[in-house]
Amino acid sequence: MMLTGEKTDIWLVKMVGLLSVAIGLVLLNGRKSADKKVLAIAAALAFIVIDVYYTFQGIISQIYLLDAAVQVFFAGWVVFIKSNGHNRL
């Protein structure tokens, strides 16, 4: 919270963290599937939308734009892998 600012709903911070871990565990398992690509892209887009919208509303710190940039990279990487026939996810 030193970077992102104080939070009033700590339970929500923990919930987003646990959901992120759950998504990561699914993406890291050894099985390859189109569903994993959909999950990866959808999760990244969800983080991007929330990060950008609430940053520009002045509700959350601008440091979240860095997270949005990482998510854009991640979503683009997944799309690139899918479109070029690589099957790592």
Side-chain angles (χ1 to χ4, degrees):
M1 286 193 258
M2 290 171 42
L3 288 175
T4 61
E6 289 296 315
K7 308 289 184 281
T8 56
D9 291 328
I10 300 302
W11 70 269
L12 185 57
V13 173
K14 292 177 181 181
M15 187 67 206
V16 171
L18 288 172
L19 284 172
S20 298
V21 168
I23 291 167
L25 289 173
V26 170
L27 297 178
L28 289 174
N29 80 24
R31 297 182 201 125
K32 300 171 186 174
S33 75
D35 291 341
K36 285 175 63 174
K37 290 179 183 177
V38 171
L39 176 62
I41 293 167
L45 289 174
F47 279 107
I48 292 165
V49 168
I50 294 300
D51 289 342
V52 171
Y53 179 80
Y54 285 103
T55 297
F56 285 109
Q57 292 295 313
I59 296 171
I60 60 176
S61 169
Q62 290 186 354
I63 194 72
Y64 283 95
L65 293 177
L66 180 59
D67 178 61
V70 170
Q71 298 296 334
V72 167
F73 172 79
F74 183 67
W77 178 68
V78 171
V79 169
F80 175 77
I81 286 173
K82 181 177 181 181
S83 66
N84 286 313
H86 297 96
N87 197 12
R88 293 190 181 135
L89 280 182

